[in-house]
Amino acid sequence: MFRTLRENGPALLVPAAWIVAGGAVLDVVSTRALFVAHVVMSLLLVAFVAASWRDMTAGVLRAWKLVILAGTPVTLAGVVGFAAPGGIAGISADVFLAVALYGWALLPAPAFVYTGVRDAVAPRAYYFAAACSVVGAVVAALDGAPVAVAAGLFVVGVGQTAGILAATALY
């Protein structure tokens, strides 16, 4: 059962994460809920990479292991941003939150490209995911209005969900 969760969990967690993030931007989801989500996601990332370490030693899986390893401190930056709303060590909480948001929007993009290069079956799904990650991050960053940020996160979420669903369905 644990293996099934490891193999299919990301296909549920990726869209859920972007829906919750977008909901928080639009004040539909509380910052407390987003804080809890960051704590839970940090724990899940560590558990996932620890459980999958030996399976992720080469090729595409190694690329994704690197994304998870880099993404763990990115997610923890979000935890810090929520836990210390006044900032910490002279760094504004907004900086920590931006690291978490834009980190997860952009970190998977190179791995999606690499996966597309290595996968002859569905490379377009991964290129689409990479493009949406970058375009969505740019849209979110260009205009600080909540609706614009949420629209950017929607683009990121759609693309990354397409990429992870392709991977889950094919493998």
Side-chain angles (χ1 to χ4, degrees):
M1 181 173 152
F2 184 67
R3 185 165 186 83
T4 301
L5 283 173
R6 264 191 321 153
E7 291 171 354
N8 298 301
L12 298 172
L13 293 174
V14 168
W18 289 114
I19 289 168
V20 170
V25 168
L26 296 173
D27 286 329
V28 176
V29 173
S30 72
T31 55
R32 176 88 174 138
L34 197 52
F35 168 70
V36 171
H38 274 76
V39 171
V40 169
M41 192 57 62
S42 297
L43 295 171
L44 288 174
L45 288 168
V46 171
F48 180 84
V49 81
S52 305
W53 192 267
R54 281 185 262 157
D55 297 332
M56 301 177 86
T57 59
V60 169
L61 291 178
R62 183 174 186 277
W64 287 102
K65 178 169 74 174
L66 295 174
V67 169
I68 295 166
L69 289 172
T72 300
V74 165
T75 307
L76 289 170
V79 171
V80 170
F82 288 114
I88 191 166
I91 301 170
S92 163
D94 289 342
V95 171
F96 289 104
L97 296 173
V99 166
L101 180 74
Y102 294 106
W104 273 113
L106 297 170
L107 266 175
F112 278 126
V113 171
Y114 181 71
T115 303
V117 168
R118 300 285 305 262
D119 186 342
V121 177
R124 288 186 191 145
Y126 304 115
Y127 297 145
F128 174 76
C132 286
S133 295
V134 174
V135 169
V138 169
V139 168
L142 284 179
D143 184 346
V147 172
V149 175
L153 299 185
F154 177 77
V155 172
V156 172
V158 166
Q160 290 186 3
T161 298
I164 198 67
L165 287 176
T168 302
L170 293 172
Y171 305 99

